[in-house]
Amino acid sequence: METDSLKEADKLKEENLLLKKEIQQINEKLDIQNEFIKNAPFLAWAVNEKFEYIFISPSFKERYERISGFKISLGQSLFDTIPPEYIPKWKERFAKAINGEEFIDEETVELADKKKHYKLYIYPIIRGNRISGVQVFISETTRMVEAENKEIDSLKKMQKILQHVEDIYYEVDLDGKVIDVSPAIESFSEYTREEILGSNIIDIYADPKDREIFLKEIKSKGQVKNYTFKAVDKNKKKKTVSINASLIHDSNGEPVKISGILRDITEIEQINKDLRWLRRAIEHSPVSIIITDTDGNIEYTNSFFTKLTGYTREETFGKNPSFLKSGLHEDEFYKKLWDTIKNGKIWEGEFRNRHKNGSLFWEHATISPVFDTNGEIINYIAIKEDYTKRKEDADEIKRLKTFNEQIINTMREGIIVESSDGTILYVNPAFTKMTGFTNKDVIGRNWKKVVAPKYHAIALEANERRKDNISDSYEVKLQTKDGKSVPVLIGGTPIIEDGKFNGLVAVITDVTLLKRHEKKIKKALKQAKISDKLKSSFLANMSHEIRTPMNAILGFADILKNEKDLDKEIRDEYFSIIEDKGNELLQIISDIIDISKIESKIITINDYEFEINEFLKTVLDILKKEPGYNEEQVKIQLFLPEGSENLKIITDRYRLNQILTNLINNSKKFTEKGEIEFGYKLVDEDFEFFVRDTGIGISNENQKIIFDRFRQADNKYTRGFGGTGLGLNICKNLINLMEGDIRVESKLSVGSTFYFTLPKEKRAKK
């Protein structure tokens, strides 16, 4: 009896040593697999027939959860982890795979800032003679992804569990009653040791038939090795258990009990399952994988390596990958590669290698060292992607780019390429020659830098049309580097990518010569039609304006002639009316003469220098001395800017007086009570004159026509104030001839302000 116990103890020690050795070998395998997974550039997952996840690679889990926002785990339904719009497509894919079809599909994912493209390698999972699920390998094709450098938490947890596995020693009688058991039973079964002692061992069997098979074998052979069955703990949780047991006999040789070791291999079974998945993932990976020893001799190649190079696994085993050399790369290239990986670093780059049939191909490779538990390099892993097509495409794109640049660089027209926000991305040599701006001056700047400010609104409207995918042409002036302007015709074409506006291409033609010819033609046409225009204008527009005051003069003259008995007061009133209408008629004739001179271009501007402040003070004095001036009714004031004493201007004094008098009289006409202020200020060294009143004001609609000939702000309302409607038009034409501009700001019932400028080129220095 004692001898049997000693033998059993020795056997247990021997089995413990074997177990520790097995665990160490598993850990070493896991280290290699962890290092591979850490650097693998592909993603993988699998589902069973119910579309429940049965395998999820950690790199896929991390990336998918980060990008999609879904959380995924084993046992979860695939359709609970993808957006609803993707479900029909995946059902279609799984239908093909479940029918035994292996195929490659593509998927495009929209992210916030860009698109990513993926290839899906879809295979059925075949176990025995039936298909039990679908496995998917994913490769990002948007760009070469760096080897995933994330730790695989699930496998690490398994490693920790394996490192702390404790075997359970037990003894039971032939009926299964537990005689003795080691304390490790508590962590395994969730029962206390006391609860287990005296109970029947069959209680931990998930299926009692497994116990019957075990007893049959041990009674026939006297021992059982590595018998595996499913056990349940106190919480009915199933675990996989391995038993090594012996039948113990008494001194008479009769069997009396069974002693053995229970080993929880649940985690080991899962690890082996994961390793099988991992091996299959490597074998079916859409990239070439090579594992070498520290001398570079090949120990493993996957099936894609054979597809890419033409060499089988048997042909390459034990050889150095140098047999793939094409002769393109220098020895220094390979020296740097080996120096990098021998120093424990990852090397990434491109190879041009030779196929078994002699053809050449390109690979993009990531080569990394594999370390053991002591940090020593034990292998090298090379993960290579077929880069031939992408390399050829890149070379073709480069060739086309060079060809297009040669065309663009020899064009006489200027070319500008803009981004969607108006930033200049490219200009051709013709543009730089046209404007004087270099690439450095304009690249990265807004298009407004090269378009004259006056034309910004036109260009902006055209750019808005580009956003609606409209191509058309428009005329503006470009601003050159030396401050000059160039008239150009711009033809704009939008850049539309994926249905969205992403910028535009503008072709710019210098139309300086064309404009000169157009100007000559227009001038000749105007000269030919001037007589007819003057005649039509006078007859159509002056007839009524002349007849009205003339009728008044003739009518009141007839009354004075025939009515001899009129009171003196009435007679004086009639004479006053005749005098006013005569002056009005005289003003009309004067306006007609000015308009005629302007139309005939015979009016002259006589510039000379004079002090502006003294001139304006004289204008004010004359206005205050006019008959009928009543300061209490309408007060006229002059504004002069500070520090403007002795400031001189070079312009036509007579015409400036005519403009100011017309504007002030216009304000007096429409201001029954209030103030009229006139003066000037300097704006960007230009003179800006103004006449401001508190009169009836002008509506926004009428402000657009106020400077047209024979127009007043509101004919129905203002007709009672008199006037021909020529005054403001004459002012506008005179100011234009003096190279200035006029504008109005007004609000109904508040008043109006007329502004006009004279250019700085004609302003004298102090």
Side-chain angles (χ1 to χ4, degrees):
M1 188 75 174
E2 184 177 351
T3 301
D4 289 342
S5 297
L6 289 174
K7 287 182 180 179
E8 186 63 31
D10 289 340
K11 187 181 295 183
L12 289 175
K13 287 180 182 180
E14 182 180 350
E15 290 179 351
N16 277 333
L17 289 174
L18 290 173
L19 175 63
K20 289 179 179 178
K21 186 175 181 180
E22 181 181 350
I23 292 173
Q24 183 179 356
Q25 290 174 347
I26 291 173
N27 284 336
E28 289 177 355
K29 289 181 180 179
L30 286 174
D31 285 337
I32 295 174
Q33 302 301 337
N34 279 340
E35 188 62 31
F36 169 74
I37 292 175
K38 188 187 300 181
N39 294 286
F42 59 87
L43 314 168
W45 51 271
V47 296
N48 59 21
E49 295 168 292
K50 297 179 180 179
F51 304 109
E52 297 170 340
Y53 286 106
I54 58 174
F55 173 76
I56 303 172
S57 73
S59 56
F60 173 76
K61 177 180 174 66
E62 185 277 330
R63 181 174 296 187
Y64 186 75
E65 289 183 350
R66 169 165 48 82
I67 292 175
S68 69
F70 286 98
K71 297 293 183 181
I72 56 176
S73 60
L74 295 178
Q76 190 175 7
S77 172
L78 167 71
F79 300 131
D80 292 336
T81 65
I82 60 175
E85 60 268 24
Y86 286 88
I87 291 176
K89 184 64 176 178
W90 277 108
K91 284 186 176 181
E92 181 182 334
R93 288 168 175 156
F94 279 117
K96 291 169 65 177
I98 289 296
N99 286 330
E101 185 176 347
E102 296 182 359
F103 61 96
I104 299 174
D105 206 347
E106 294 183 351
E107 190 75 85
T108 300
V109 179
E110 291 273 2
L111 301 181
D113 57 342
K114 59 183 176 181
K115 288 183 177 180
K116 287 200 172 187
H117 304 277
Y118 298 88
K119 274 193 176 180
L120 311 177
Y121 298 82
I122 302 174
Y123 303 92
I125 299 174
I126 302 173
R127 292 181 177 174
N129 294 322
R130 60 183 295 270
I131 296 174
S132 61
V134 178
Q135 54 191 341
V136 180
F137 301 96
I138 304 171
S139 175
E140 183 180 341
T141 56
T142 307
R143 63 181 184 205
M144 280 302 302
V145 295
E146 296 182 355
E148 291 290 335
N149 200 23
K150 298 291 183 179
E151 293 184 355
I152 306 174
D153 293 334
S154 60
L155 292 180
K156 288 230 172 188
K157 289 178 181 178
M158 293 178 194
Q159 286 181 315
K160 291 179 181 179
I161 292 171
L162 288 173
Q163 290 170 0
H164 296 87
V165 167
E166 293 184 2
D167 289 341
I168 304 166
Y169 170 77
Y170 77 99
E171 287 185 0
V172 296
D173 62 20
L174 297 181
D175 294 325
K177 180 180 178 181
V178 179
I179 302 170
D180 192 13
V181 67
S182 64
I185 191 65
E186 295 185 352
S187 61
F188 170 77
S189 68
E190 302 296 333
Y191 290 103
T192 64
R193 184 170 181 271
E194 287 70 24
E195 288 176 313
I196 291 294
L197 290 173
S199 66
N200 198 296
I201 193 70
I202 199 171
D203 293 339
I204 70 168
Y205 279 80
D207 186 351
K209 291 181 180 179
D210 290 332
R211 172 67 175 169
E212 294 175 5
I213 295 171
F214 168 79
L215 288 175
K216 183 177 181 181
E217 184 172 346
I218 199 168
K219 288 178 180 179
S220 65
K221 298 180 180 180
Q223 63 178 5
V224 171
K225 290 186 177 181
N226 299 320
Y227 178 74
T228 303
F229 70 95
K230 292 291 183 180
V232 291
D233 61 14
K234 188 175 183 179
N235 298 316
K236 303 302 179 183
K237 181 179 179 181
K238 290 185 178 182
K239 297 182 179 182
T240 304
V241 176
S242 175
I243 294 181
N244 287 289
S246 298
L247 190 61
I248 307 300
H249 299 80
D250 60 15
S251 57
N252 297 319
E254 295 293 327
V256 291
K257 63 180 179 178
I258 299 171
S259 68
I261 293 176
L262 290 174
R263 181 181 302 161
D264 184 356
I265 62 169
T266 306
E267 298 297 340
I268 295 176
E269 184 182 53
Q270 184 61 43
I271 289 172
N272 287 331
K273 183 179 178 180
D274 289 343
L275 288 175
R276 287 193 299 272
W277 276 108
L278 187 56
R279 281 194 294 270
R280 184 171 179 80
I282 293 171
E283 189 61 29
H284 290 281
S285 170
V287 293
S288 172
I289 298 172
I290 305 174
I291 300 176
T292 73
D293 60 20
T294 53
D295 294 325
N297 299 315
I298 296 174
E299 294 184 347
Y300 172 82
T301 59
N302 69 344
S303 58
F304 195 85
F305 172 87
T306 301
K307 180 179 178 181
L308 182 62
T309 67
Y311 291 97
T312 65
R313 188 173 302 169
E314 292 73 23
E315 289 176 307
T316 61
F317 184 81
K319 293 183 179 180
N320 190 287
S322 59
F323 63 84
L324 295 171
K325 286 183 179 181
S326 64
L328 174 67
H329 307 290
E330 301 290 340
D331 291 342
E332 183 64 22
F333 173 84
Y334 295 102
K335 182 178 183 301
K336 288 181 179 179
L337 185 159
W338 279 104
D339 288 345
T340 300
I341 61 178
K342 283 183 176 180
N343 286 321
K345 299 177 181 178
I346 297 174
W347 183 90
E348 184 175 355
E350 296 175 2
F351 287 107
R352 189 183 190 188
N353 283 335
R354 189 177 300 278
H355 191 276
K356 184 178 180 180
N357 62 15
S359 62
L360 299 176
F361 63 94
W362 283 92
E363 291 180 305
H364 185 283
T366 300
I367 304 176
S368 61
V370 178
F371 301 91
D372 63 12
T373 55
N374 297 319
E376 297 293 327
I377 297 175
I378 56 174
N379 290 97
Y380 296 109
I381 296 179
I383 301 168
K384 302 179 178 183
E385 182 179 13
D386 186 356
Y387 198 61
T388 307
K389 184 65 169 60
R390 294 178 62 184
K391 185 75 173 176
E392 291 173 351
D393 290 345
D395 290 343
E396 178 63 12
I397 290 170
K398 184 177 180 180
R399 186 190 69 78
L400 291 174
K401 181 181 177 183
T402 301
F403 177 72
N404 290 335
E405 285 178 350
Q406 289 174 346
I407 294 175
I408 292 172
N409 290 342
T410 55
M411 289 177 63
R412 297 178 62 183
E413 291 80 7
I415 300 290
I416 293 182
V417 180
E418 298 175 15
S419 65
S420 58
D421 63 358
T423 301
I424 297 175
L425 304 176
Y426 170 81
V427 294
N428 71 338
F431 174 85
T432 60
K433 182 179 180 180
M434 190 184 301
T435 64
F437 288 113
T438 64
N439 283 14
K440 186 177 180 181
D441 293 330
V442 295
I443 298 299
R445 305 289 294 274
N446 190 274
W447 58 263
K448 293 180 180 179
K449 179 176 176 63
V450 299
V451 176
K454 182 179 179 180
Y455 298 92
H456 284 180
I458 296 174
L460 189 61
E461 288 178 6
N463 286 350
E464 289 299 316
R465 293 196 295 274
R466 303 295 169 268
K467 295 179 181 179
D468 295 328
N469 200 14
I470 298 173
S471 300
D472 59 14
S473 301
Y474 60 96
E475 291 186 14
V476 296
K477 285 188 177 181
L478 293 187
Q479 189 168 264
T480 64
K481 190 172 183 178
D482 58 7
K484 296 180 181 179
S485 60
V486 180
V488 296
L489 177 68
I490 298 180
T493 301
I495 300 172
I496 305 298
E497 295 180 353
D498 298 324
K500 296 180 181 178
F501 174 73
N502 200 34
L504 61 89
V505 177
V507 180
I508 304 169
T509 304
D510 186 343
V511 294
T512 303
L513 293 177
L514 181 62
K515 287 295 179 183
R516 289 176 186 170
H517 291 308
E518 286 181 355
K519 190 174 182 181
K520 290 179 181 179
I521 294 171
K522 287 180 181 178
K523 184 176 181 180
L525 289 172
K526 285 183 179 179
Q527 290 296 332
K529 296 179 181 179
I530 189 167
S531 297
D532 186 58
K533 283 186 176 180
L534 286 173
K535 176 182 175 182
S536 299
S537 178
F538 288 158
L539 291 176
N541 298 310
M542 287 294 98
S543 176
H544 174 75
E545 299 299 335
I546 294 174
R547 187 182 296 111
T548 299
M550 184 60 74
N551 287 340
I553 292 170
L554 294 175
F556 283 104
D558 183 65
I559 292 172
L560 291 171
K561 176 180 177 181
N562 296 316
E563 299 292 336
K564 305 295 185 180
D565 298 332
L566 289 175
D567 293 338
K568 183 180 184 302
E569 183 178 349
I570 294 175
R571 291 173 65 85
D572 290 344
E573 181 183 352
Y574 287 176
F575 277 123
S576 177
I577 291 172
I578 290 171
E579 183 180 12
D580 288 344
K581 294 301 178 180
N583 288 331
E584 184 178 328
L585 186 59
L586 183 62
Q587 183 62 49
I588 291 172
I589 294 170
S590 177
D591 287 348
I592 290 172
I593 292 171
D594 280 341
I595 285 295
S596 177
K597 287 181 178 181
I598 290 170
E599 289 287 347
S600 302
K601 297 191 182 300
I602 60 175
I603 195 167
T604 57
I605 302 298
N606 301 308
D607 295 332
Y608 61 93
E609 186 178 71
F610 58 91
E611 288 189 3
I612 187 63
N613 288 4
E614 290 302 319
F615 165 77
L616 294 176
K617 290 175 183 177
T618 301
V619 173
L620 179 64
D621 289 341
I622 294 172
L623 290 169
K624 287 185 175 182
K625 291 176 182 179
E626 286 183 352
Y629 174 70
N630 185 347
E631 192 169 278
E632 293 183 359
Q633 192 73 16
V634 178
K635 185 177 181 179
I636 302 177
Q637 300 182 92
L638 173 63
F639 170 81
L640 300 174
E642 293 183 5
S644 62
E645 296 81 4
N646 303 319
L647 186 63
K648 294 183 179 181
I649 188 171
I650 297 177
T651 192
D652 190 322
R653 182 187 182 103
Y654 171 76
R655 294 301 179 185
L656 179 58
N657 180 71
Q658 182 181 357
I659 294 166
L660 285 170
T661 302
N662 268 353
L663 292 175
I664 293 169
N665 285 337
N666 201 58
S667 291
K668 288 167 60 179
K669 188 188 303 180
F670 297 105
T671 305
E672 294 182 358
K673 185 176 180 61
E675 295 180 351
I676 298 174
E677 183 181 26
F678 72 100
Y680 74 96
K681 61 181 178 178
L682 297 177
V683 178
D684 295 332
E685 299 186 6
D686 286 347
F687 283 93
E688 183 179 75
F689 296 90
F690 67 90
V691 176
R692 182 181 298 112
D693 64 58
T694 58
I696 63 174
I698 308 167
S699 68
N700 290 336
E701 181 179 355
N702 286 323
Q703 287 177 36
K704 299 175 183 178
I705 62 170
I706 196 67
F707 295 108
D708 293 349
R709 193 176 305 163
F710 307 110
R711 300 295 293 268
Q712 291 177 315
D714 187 340
N715 287 338
K716 294 180 181 179
Y717 177 68
T718 61
R719 182 58 64 189
F721 292 94
T724 64
L726 293 173
L728 289 177
N729 181 261
I730 291 171
C731 288
K732 180 177 183 297
N733 280 282
L734 290 175
I735 291 168
N736 289 343
L737 287 170
M738 297 162 74
E739 299 181 16
D741 292 305
I742 186 169
R743 61 189 174 89
V744 63
E745 294 179 1
S746 183
K747 188 174 182 181
L748 287 174
S749 303
V750 176
S752 305
T753 302
F754 287 84
Y755 298 94
F756 67 93
T757 60
L758 293 180
K760 61 184 178 180
E761 287 81 359
K762 291 188 176 183
R763 181 167 56 82
K765 297 182 179 179
K766 294 183 181 179

